[in-house]
Structures are given as structure tokens and as C-alpha cells.
Amino acid sequence: MRFEVDAILFDIDGTLVDSTGAVVRSWEAWSAAWGIDPAEVLRVCHGRRSEDTVAEFLPSDQRAAAVAELERLELADLGDVTALPATRDLLSALPEGRWAAVTSGSRALMRARLAAAGLPVPDVLVAAEDVRLGKPDPQGYLQAARALGFDVRRCLVVEDAPAGLEAGRAAGAHVLAVATSHSAQDLCAADAVVPDLGACSVEATASGLMISTAVGPRADPVL
């Protein structure tokens, strides 16, 4: 499948970097400290802002301290954060000003994870604190497209989690899923699903970008 777009809007955790071990360890430690079943937390936390997950388990007067504690745990756990396959090559093939990152994590944490993985920090990085509503709300992707100066309908969102796919869809973008943290069946809202970015190639064209995938569409083709 091919996407002809102006820019690519990437999620970070599970899309550009493999931080699964750190995410699980941090949430498990956090859950133990707050007396919450970690399985219940891990069931709902992926692809969402920490503050939105915390709000499901704690009263409002405890949330700020709980989010700060989780951030401390995550910033201290970067040892096995790595770039996912082919990520460096794909990012290096993108012209300046043609990509952004939209994340449910904080700016400090995402910069730290990108650095740990040896990946560049994009000029446009929309983090948890930059939006009023997190994924699955489309606010982050709409903001990133505006910052790059492109119509979001001419952008490709790349995500690994259902909440992010829903956000990309709601924004009006084309949507590509990488099955790094969820099964392909869980990612059926995408236009196409690939195992990781190694199944993609990108070419700069006179009108923008051409992204080709080695795996077929999961929905109606978007060209």
C-alpha cells in the first residue's frame, strides 16, 4: 500500500522506541506503592496520558502526587530503551520539516527516551502537557499538523495503540499501525498494519512524501 502525504506524525512509545519493559516496570512499581492491582492499570494505560490513567484509579486530591511519582520512576528506568527496527533509517530519509511526534508522555520523558534510543528529537514534539485532552482525542495530531504547516488530511499518523489510531482517525489523517505492542486484530482501525517500520519505505517527491508498506491494507485503500 502507498500513502502520498505531506508529512508523517509519529507516536513515540511502541512506534519509534521500544520502551515496553520500562513502561511495565514503572507502572507495576507505581501500582504497588498506591495499592492498586497492576494488571488493571496495565490493561488501560497503553497509549494514554499518565494523568488520564491515574484519574481512573485515584481521587482528585491524590492525582498530582501520583503522576509525579510515576514520572520519577519512568525517568529512572531508561537502561533498556532502544530504537525499534529500521526507525533510524526511516527518520534519516525524511526531509526537514516533514515529520513530528505526538505522544501521551511528558516532554521530559520523551526527550529522555529518544536520547536513550539514539534517535533525534523532532522540531515539533506535542507532549502530554501541550494538550487539554489526550488520545484518543485528536487534539495532539491537529496541533502537530498546524505546527508543521500542513493540512492534517494530508498527513500520515503512525501509531501502535488503539487510542492513538482513534485519535488519528478523528483528526482526519491517514493512519498506519505498527503491531509492536498490540495484535493486528486490535489495530483494525488503521488503513494498513505492518509489523514495524522495517516494512515501510519513504521517498521524498516533488509534492511531498511517498510511503510504501510491504503489508496490505486493513481497510479501504487510501492513496
Side-chain angles (χ1 to χ4, degrees):
M1 187 172 189
R2 292 184 176 182
F3 298 91
E4 294 184 50
V5 298
D6 291 327
I8 306 178
L9 313 177
F10 294 98
D11 174 52
I12 296 179
D13 286 322
T15 300
L16 299 180
V17 306
D18 182 357
S19 55
T20 301
V23 169
V24 170
R25 287 189 298 269
S26 297
W27 277 112
E28 286 180 338
W30 179 89
S31 299
W34 289 89
I36 300 169
D37 181 355
E40 288 300 307
V41 175
L42 291 170
R43 183 178 59 82
V44 299
C45 70
H46 292 290
R48 302 174 64 204
R49 295 188 304 177
S50 298
E51 63 192 85
D52 296 329
T53 298
V54 168
E56 293 197 21
F57 297 95
L58 293 175
S60 58
D61 62 336
Q62 296 180 347
R63 292 172 190 168
V67 170
E69 173 61 13
L70 179 67
E71 179 89 346
R72 184 191 68 77
L73 290 167
E74 291 188 302
L75 283 169
D77 193 343
L78 300 169
D80 60 356
V81 174
T82 59
L84 281 161
T87 300
R88 290 188 185 89
D89 290 342
L90 190 142
L91 292 181
S92 67
L94 291 171
E96 185 177 353
R98 292 283 181 172
W99 71 284
V102 179
T103 174
S104 295
S106 72
R107 182 174 301 276
L109 179 60
M110 291 303 102
R111 291 180 69 92
R113 284 184 177 162
L114 287 169
L119 296 176
V121 176
D123 292 335
V124 175
L125 170 59
V126 180
E129 59 265 43
D130 298 322
V131 295
R132 186 174 58 85
L133 297 172
K135 302 172 187 176
D137 189 272
Q139 190 175 132
Y141 283 117
L142 292 169
Q143 184 172 323
R146 284 195 300 269
L148 289 174
F150 297 118
D151 185 334
V152 72
R153 294 171 296 180
R154 286 276 304 167
C155 293
L156 175 66
V157 164
V158 185
E159 274 277 358
D160 73 303
L165 295 177
E166 187 176 339
R169 276 280 186 223
H174 307 306
V175 184
L176 173 66
V178 289
T180 56
S181 64
H182 291 74
S183 69
Q185 289 77 13
D186 291 336
L187 305 173
C188 60
D191 296 309
V193 181
V194 295
D196 54 49
L197 292 176
C200 302
S201 62
V202 61
E203 177 186 356
T205 68
S207 59
L209 302 172
M210 174 73 75
I211 298 93
S212 301
T213 70
V215 179
R218 294 287 175 176
D220 293 336
V222 178
L223 301 176

Short mmCIF file of all heavy atoms in Angstrom, two decimals, residues 52-76:
data_model
loop_
_atom_site.label_atom_id
_atom_site.label_comp_id
_atom_site.label_asym_id
_atom_site.label_seq_id
_atom_site.Cartn_x
_atom_site.Cartn_y
_atom_site.Cartn_z
N ASP A 52 -4.45 10.70 32.71
CA ASP A 52 -5.76 10.14 32.38
C ASP A 52 -5.92 8.74 32.97
O ASP A 52 -7.01 8.36 33.42
CB ASP A 52 -5.96 10.12 30.87
CG ASP A 52 -5.96 11.52 30.27
OD1 ASP A 52 -6.39 12.46 30.96
OD2 ASP A 52 -5.53 11.67 29.11
N THR A 53 -4.82 7.97 32.97
CA THR A 53 -4.87 6.64 33.58
C THR A 53 -5.00 6.76 35.10
O THR A 53 -5.83 6.08 35.72
CB THR A 53 -3.61 5.84 33.23
OG1 THR A 53 -3.55 5.66 31.80
CG2 THR A 53 -3.61 4.48 33.90
N VAL A 54 -4.19 7.61 35.69
CA VAL A 54 -4.24 7.79 37.15
C VAL A 54 -5.63 8.21 37.60
O VAL A 54 -6.12 7.77 38.65
CB VAL A 54 -3.18 8.82 37.59
CG1 VAL A 54 -3.38 9.25 39.04
CG2 VAL A 54 -1.77 8.24 37.40
N ALA A 55 -6.29 9.03 36.81
CA ALA A 55 -7.62 9.52 37.17
C ALA A 55 -8.65 8.40 37.29
O ALA A 55 -9.68 8.57 37.95
CB ALA A 55 -8.09 10.56 36.16
N GLU A 56 -8.38 7.27 36.65
CA GLU A 56 -9.31 6.14 36.75
C GLU A 56 -9.20 5.39 38.07
O GLU A 56 -10.09 4.62 38.42
CB GLU A 56 -9.08 5.17 35.59
CG GLU A 56 -9.43 5.72 34.23
CD GLU A 56 -9.58 4.63 33.19
OE1 GLU A 56 -9.79 3.45 33.58
OE2 GLU A 56 -9.47 4.94 31.99
N PHE A 57 -8.10 5.63 38.81
CA PHE A 57 -7.85 4.82 40.00
C PHE A 57 -7.75 5.61 41.30
O PHE A 57 -7.87 5.03 42.37
CB PHE A 57 -6.55 4.03 39.80
CG PHE A 57 -6.61 3.04 38.68
CD1 PHE A 57 -6.14 3.38 37.41
CD2 PHE A 57 -7.17 1.79 38.86
CE1 PHE A 57 -6.21 2.48 36.36
CE2 PHE A 57 -7.25 0.88 37.82
CZ PHE A 57 -6.77 1.22 36.56
N LEU A 58 -7.52 6.91 41.22
CA LEU A 58 -7.30 7.69 42.43
C LEU A 58 -8.19 8.92 42.48
O LEU A 58 -8.52 9.49 41.43
CB LEU A 58 -5.83 8.13 42.52
CG LEU A 58 -4.79 7.01 42.71
CD1 LEU A 58 -3.39 7.60 42.66
CD2 LEU A 58 -5.01 6.27 44.02
N PRO A 59 -8.54 9.38 43.68
CA PRO A 59 -9.33 10.61 43.81
C PRO A 59 -8.50 11.82 43.40
O PRO A 59 -7.27 11.79 43.37
CB PRO A 59 -9.69 10.64 45.30
CG PRO A 59 -8.65 9.81 45.96
CD PRO A 59 -8.28 8.74 44.99
N SER A 60 -9.20 12.90 43.10
CA SER A 60 -8.55 14.08 42.52
C SER A 60 -7.45 14.67 43.40
O SER A 60 -6.45 15.18 42.90
CB SER A 60 -9.59 15.15 42.21
OG SER A 60 -10.31 15.50 43.38
N ASP A 61 -7.60 14.58 44.73
CA ASP A 61 -6.61 15.21 45.60
C ASP A 61 -5.30 14.43 45.68
O ASP A 61 -4.31 14.92 46.22
CB ASP A 61 -7.19 15.41 47.01
CG ASP A 61 -7.57 14.09 47.69
OD1 ASP A 61 -7.83 13.10 46.97
OD2 ASP A 61 -7.59 14.05 48.93
N GLN A 62 -5.26 13.22 45.12
CA GLN A 62 -4.04 12.41 45.13
C GLN A 62 -3.35 12.33 43.77
O GLN A 62 -2.24 11.83 43.67
CB GLN A 62 -4.36 10.99 45.61
CG GLN A 62 -4.87 10.91 47.04
CD GLN A 62 -5.17 9.48 47.46
OE1 GLN A 62 -5.22 8.57 46.62
NE2 GLN A 62 -5.37 9.26 48.74
N ARG A 63 -4.00 12.84 42.75
CA ARG A 63 -3.52 12.57 41.39
C ARG A 63 -2.21 13.26 41.05
O ARG A 63 -1.34 12.67 40.41
CB ARG A 63 -4.61 12.96 40.38
CG ARG A 63 -5.82 12.05 40.45
CD ARG A 63 -6.96 12.57 39.60
NE ARG A 63 -8.19 11.82 39.87
CZ ARG A 63 -9.38 12.19 39.45
NH1 ARG A 63 -9.52 13.32 38.73
NH2 ARG A 63 -10.44 11.46 39.73
N ALA A 64 -2.04 14.50 41.45
CA ALA A 64 -0.82 15.23 41.10
C ALA A 64 0.41 14.53 41.67
O ALA A 64 1.43 14.34 40.98
CB ALA A 64 -0.89 16.67 41.58
N ALA A 65 0.34 14.13 42.92
CA ALA A 65 1.47 13.43 43.55
C ALA A 65 1.71 12.08 42.89
O ALA A 65 2.86 11.66 42.70
CB ALA A 65 1.20 13.25 45.05
N ALA A 66 0.64 11.40 42.51
CA ALA A 66 0.77 10.09 41.88
C ALA A 66 1.41 10.19 40.50
O ALA A 66 2.26 9.37 40.14
CB ALA A 66 -0.60 9.43 41.79
N VAL A 67 1.02 11.19 39.72
CA VAL A 67 1.61 11.38 38.40
C VAL A 67 3.08 11.75 38.53
O VAL A 67 3.93 11.25 37.77
CB VAL A 67 0.84 12.47 37.62
CG1 VAL A 67 1.58 12.84 36.34
CG2 VAL A 67 -0.57 11.99 37.29
N ALA A 68 3.42 12.59 39.49
CA ALA A 68 4.82 12.97 39.71
C ALA A 68 5.67 11.77 40.09
O ALA A 68 6.81 11.62 39.65
CB ALA A 68 4.90 14.05 40.78
N GLU A 69 5.11 10.88 40.91
CA GLU A 69 5.84 9.67 41.31
C GLU A 69 6.07 8.76 40.11
O GLU A 69 7.16 8.19 39.95
CB GLU A 69 5.07 8.94 42.40
CG GLU A 69 5.64 7.58 42.79
CD GLU A 69 7.05 7.64 43.35
OE1 GLU A 69 7.53 8.74 43.68
OE2 GLU A 69 7.69 6.57 43.45
N LEU A 70 5.07 8.60 39.27
CA LEU A 70 5.24 7.77 38.08
C LEU A 70 6.31 8.36 37.16
O LEU A 70 7.16 7.63 36.63
CB LEU A 70 3.92 7.65 37.32
CG LEU A 70 4.01 6.82 36.04
CD1 LEU A 70 4.30 5.35 36.35
CD2 LEU A 70 2.74 6.94 35.22
N GLU A 71 6.30 9.67 36.99
CA GLU A 71 7.31 10.32 36.14
C GLU A 71 8.71 10.06 36.68
O GLU A 71 9.65 9.79 35.92
CB GLU A 71 7.03 11.83 36.09
CG GLU A 71 8.03 12.62 35.28
CD GLU A 71 7.66 12.74 33.81
OE1 GLU A 71 6.77 12.01 33.35
OE2 GLU A 71 8.28 13.57 33.12
N ARG A 72 8.87 10.12 37.99
CA ARG A 72 10.17 9.86 38.61
C ARG A 72 10.62 8.43 38.31
O ARG A 72 11.78 8.18 37.95
CB ARG A 72 10.10 10.08 40.12
CG ARG A 72 11.43 9.92 40.83
CD ARG A 72 11.27 9.90 42.33
NE ARG A 72 10.56 8.69 42.78
CZ ARG A 72 11.14 7.49 42.87
NH1 ARG A 72 12.42 7.33 42.52
NH2 ARG A 72 10.45 6.45 43.29
N LEU A 73 9.71 7.48 38.44
CA LEU A 73 10.03 6.08 38.17
C LEU A 73 10.43 5.88 36.71
O LEU A 73 11.41 5.17 36.41
CB LEU A 73 8.82 5.19 38.50
CG LEU A 73 8.46 5.03 39.98
CD1 LEU A 73 7.08 4.40 40.12
CD2 LEU A 73 9.52 4.19 40.70
N GLU A 74 9.71 6.50 35.80
CA GLU A 74 9.99 6.30 34.38
C GLU A 74 11.31 6.96 33.96
O GLU A 74 12.06 6.39 33.16
CB GLU A 74 8.83 6.85 33.55
CG GLU A 74 7.56 6.02 33.70
CD GLU A 74 6.46 6.44 32.74
OE1 GLU A 74 6.07 7.61 32.78
OE2 GLU A 74 6.00 5.59 31.97
N LEU A 75 11.59 8.13 34.48
CA LEU A 75 12.85 8.80 34.13
C LEU A 75 14.06 8.06 34.67
O LEU A 75 15.17 8.19 34.13
CB LEU A 75 12.84 10.24 34.66
CG LEU A 75 11.99 11.23 33.86
CD1 LEU A 75 11.84 12.54 34.63
CD2 LEU A 75 12.62 11.48 32.49
N ALA A 76 13.86 7.27 35.72
CA ALA A 76 14.95 6.50 36.30
C ALA A 76 15.14 5.14 35.62
O ALA A 76 16.09 4.42 35.94
CB ALA A 76 14.70 6.29 37.79
#
